[in-house]
Amino acid sequence: MTVVHIPNSTMLSSYARCFMTEQQEKEAKGARGFGSDDSSRTAKGTVAPVEDSSSVKAGQNITTPQLEDYCNDFTADIKNKLATLTLSHETYSEALENREVYLKHPPVFSHKLEIDAPITNQKNSGRCWIFAGLNMLRQHMMKEYNLDELELSQPFVFFHDKLEKSNWFLENILKTLDEDLDGRVVQLLLAGPVQDGGQWDMFVALVDKYGVVPKEAYLETVHTADSEQMDWLITTKLREYAKEIRTEHANGKSIDELRKMKDRMLREIHKVISVSLGQPPKTIDWSFYSKDKKFHEFRNVTPLEFYKNHVKQDCTKFVSLINDPRNEYMKKYTVDYLGNVYGAESVHYINLSVQRLKDYAIRVLKSGRPVWFGCDVGKFLSRSHGMMDTEVIDYESAFDFGFGMTKAERLQYGDSTITHAMVLTGVHIEDGKPVRWRVENSWGESVGNKGYLTMTDRWFDEFVYQIVLEKSDLPKEVLDVLGQEAVVLPPWDLMLGVFGK
């Protein structure tokens, strides 16, 4: 396979930032701007460069005359005083919210899924990719079993993800025994062995191996709702294990002896997860009332049987499509060292234009099915109105400048990446073109329109990077790309790695 090194790239990472911590909330509210998808056009409001009229010479250091010149320039404009009075008491997203945007885009859609499933809440964790995956799967079940509500257990998938990621990490430590400890790869592995984030193919690997259960069969705990302490404990132990393995390798122990050590280490990690979350069930009883008040019951069902016989959707038949304008379209990509389940299918993507992603997503939504997707959620987001639009936060009015980078440039310079996974459940089309999209989020009902967001089509162009569709929904020329040898991107390519906000 060909390894392509793209410095400072940020697109292919995991959704490890799917939840909003206080710091991430600040970053989201101060999110930077947008350009174009496939061209070099600049964003609306960009100020063209002009000659410096200042008499102060710019040099390596900030000088006193230089700073005085800045201050004089600032105070000369009375609008800056008004902006200071306002923004010293309110956040950017609150004070600069452009009401014209959400008035123009009400939460009404020409094409919407028949079922409105109850909004879920990942709380203070980075499990968005798991929530989005299970939220997508439950739509078919709710229709088949005539249900008003259904939630599948995210903690069940989360438990197995933590254990599998621990094994994945230790296997990669074994794989890199002869590499420099201070090298970029080993240090990247040590940086976040079991962060909460993930990718679609990682979700597939988990449900295909372990199955799925209803939420009532395996409930949330303190450490699923807020995973920070458990993640810290597991991460600290894994780094300790990595040190032990590398030390014993240097002392001459064989790979078989090191793997025996790994078994003992995984047993300890399993204990941590089991104490924190409880052991997952081996069999379940599923009973419920359908909307016509009829009672249904299925007894002594294993999680894999539940997945195969009741969920009835084979996730291995889905494919991940990305829009990464840095790289060539109609090519297959993967990321070195990215995954969670050892021995599972590798994480891979087909790179397409954003227009293709939208065309295929519209077709699926019109057929009555949801679409899992990944985006940079913090950019130009109004949480109170549940609106994602490139002009919903009016930075130009406050600061007299716009934003000029294209989608590709934002990825190259670290200004954007996939941060969050959600589910498309509708689209509004006018004159044959999409205008806005309906989004099912997993931040609870307090955000947006009772948990749903509205995403304008121009925001889709700039900040949506990934959708997942069934292979049967794609034309032959796209499916043929799956037969290509994948271009392998380096593990520090954050665009196509794991994410979770």
Side-chain angles (χ1 to χ4, degrees), residues 69-255:
D69 192 57
Y70 293 168
C71 292
N72 292 335
D73 184 62
F74 180 83
T75 54
D77 188 346
I78 189 63
K79 191 182 78 170
N80 289 333
K81 183 175 182 180
L82 177 61
T84 301
L85 291 172
T86 301
L87 293 176
S88 61
H89 296 286
E90 294 188 61
T91 66
Y92 296 158
S93 60
E94 292 167 342
L96 304 178
E97 191 173 71
N98 184 354
R99 69 191 301 265
E100 293 181 3
V101 171
Y102 54 81
L103 291 176
K104 183 180 178 182
H105 294 285
V108 180
F109 305 86
S110 58
H111 304 275
K112 186 175 80 71
L113 298 190
E114 180 183 342
I115 295 174
D116 273 344
I119 288 295
T120 55
N121 193 342
Q122 66 192 72
K123 300 190 179 177
N124 196 32
S125 72
R127 299 174 290 163
C128 62
W129 56 290
I130 296 174
F131 273 72
L134 295 177
N135 288 346
M136 188 189 78
L137 293 180
R138 68 176 172 168
Q139 280 275 342
H140 174 77
M141 292 183 67
M142 292 179 70
K143 185 178 295 185
E144 177 165 341
Y145 289 105
N146 194 26
L147 299 173
D148 273 323
E149 58 183 37
L150 173 68
E151 189 168 353
L152 300 173
S153 176
Q154 307 90 4
F156 181 83
V157 180
F158 191 60
F159 179 102
H160 295 103
D161 181 56
K162 291 300 179 187
L163 186 62
E164 289 287 354
K165 277 178 179 166
S166 298
N167 182 62
W168 180 270
F169 169 78
L170 292 173
E171 279 297 319
N172 281 321
I173 291 299
L174 292 171
K175 182 179 177 182
T176 56
L177 286 172
D178 296 320
E179 294 198 23
D180 187 355
L181 175 61
D182 293 326
R184 192 171 186 180
V185 171
V186 175
Q187 285 301 309
L188 186 70
L189 293 174
L190 293 169
V194 290
Q195 32 66 30
D196 287 355
Q199 261 290 353
W200 169 257
D201 285 326
M202 295 164 69
F203 173 77
V204 174
L206 292 167
V207 299
D208 197 51
K209 182 173 181 177
Y210 294 104
V212 174
V213 299
K215 186 67 171 270
E216 57 268 24
Y218 192 66
L219 298 171
E220 298 277 358
T221 74
V222 168
H223 298 288
T224 59
D226 187 344
S227 56
E228 183 178 7
Q229 286 188 329
M230 184 179 70
D231 285 352
W232 167 81
L233 180 57
I234 296 173
T235 296
T236 296
K237 290 303 296 183
L238 287 174
R239 289 169 178 159
E240 183 180 302
Y241 299 152
K243 178 257 181 188
E244 186 179 346
I245 288 172
R246 288 177 66 94
T247 299
E248 292 305 316
H249 169 67
N251 291 337
K253 282 200 172 180
S254 68
I255 191 68

Side-chain angles (χ1 to χ4, degrees), residues 10 14 17 38-39 98 122 155 251 365 382 407 449 463 490:
T10 58
S14 66
R17 293 175 300 279
D38 298 313
S39 72
N98 184 354
Q122 66 192 72
N251 291 337
L365 289 169
S382 166
K407 192 174 190 178
N449 182 24
F463 299 113

